[in-house]
Amino acid sequence: MFKTSGGKYIAPQLIENAMKQSRFIEQIMVIGDGEKMPAAFIQPNFDFIKEWEKIHGIKVGETNQEIITNPKVIERVQEEIDHLNSKFGNWEQIKRFELTPDV
């Protein structure tokens, strides 16, 4: 558990477990102790993203680095976060995230 600069307490495990319900998110680490709002480092589910790419007939890249910088992937992960954020109070919602390339 950590405290934001606004004095709100956040239990990152609850947020992380909710976010891992998304098939796009393999791992997530919520951070933000002493910060204005929580953020997250996200390890995408690269196998699922490659399937998603084939199903939708789009190209997102060959390497993990290309995949995490692809605007379509970032937008899709943002949609997942927005949807899952609705389960939490405003102070608990993930406002920024970074995708990580390493498995």
Side-chain angles (χ1 to χ4, degrees):
M1 191 169 242
F2 62 83
K3 186 176 178 181
T4 65
S5 63
K8 298 286 188 177
Y9 285 95
I10 294 175
Q13 301 89 345
L14 296 175
I15 300 168
E16 292 165 352
N17 289 337
M19 294 292 169
K20 284 192 278 186
Q21 292 176 13
S22 167
R23 295 178 69 188
F24 285 89
I25 299 172
E26 182 75 28
Q27 295 292 323
I28 181 170
M29 183 173 70
V30 175
I31 57 173
D33 187 28
E35 298 296 327
K36 189 174 181 179
M37 63 194 79
F41 291 116
I42 296 174
Q43 174 73 60
N45 183 337
F46 292 107
D47 292 335
F48 181 75
I49 289 174
K50 289 173 184 171
E51 289 177 30
W52 173 75
E53 168 186 46
K54 289 176 188 169
I55 291 169
H56 293 286
I58 56 176
K59 286 286 184 194
V60 296
E62 298 293 323
T63 67
N64 290 355
Q65 185 63 44
E66 290 173 341
I67 291 170
I68 67 162
T69 58
N70 184 288
K72 290 178 183 170
V73 172
I74 294 169
E75 180 181 325
R76 188 62 181 91
V77 171
Q78 182 68 61
E79 286 176 22
E80 292 290 305
I81 290 171
D82 291 345
H83 170 71
L84 294 164
N85 265 342
S86 66
K87 298 177 180 183
F88 297 100
N90 190 48
W91 71 94
E92 297 173 299
Q93 295 179 3
I94 302 296
K95 305 291 192 229
R96 293 194 64 214
F97 67 93
E98 289 289 329
L99 299 177
T100 60
D102 298 326
V103 177

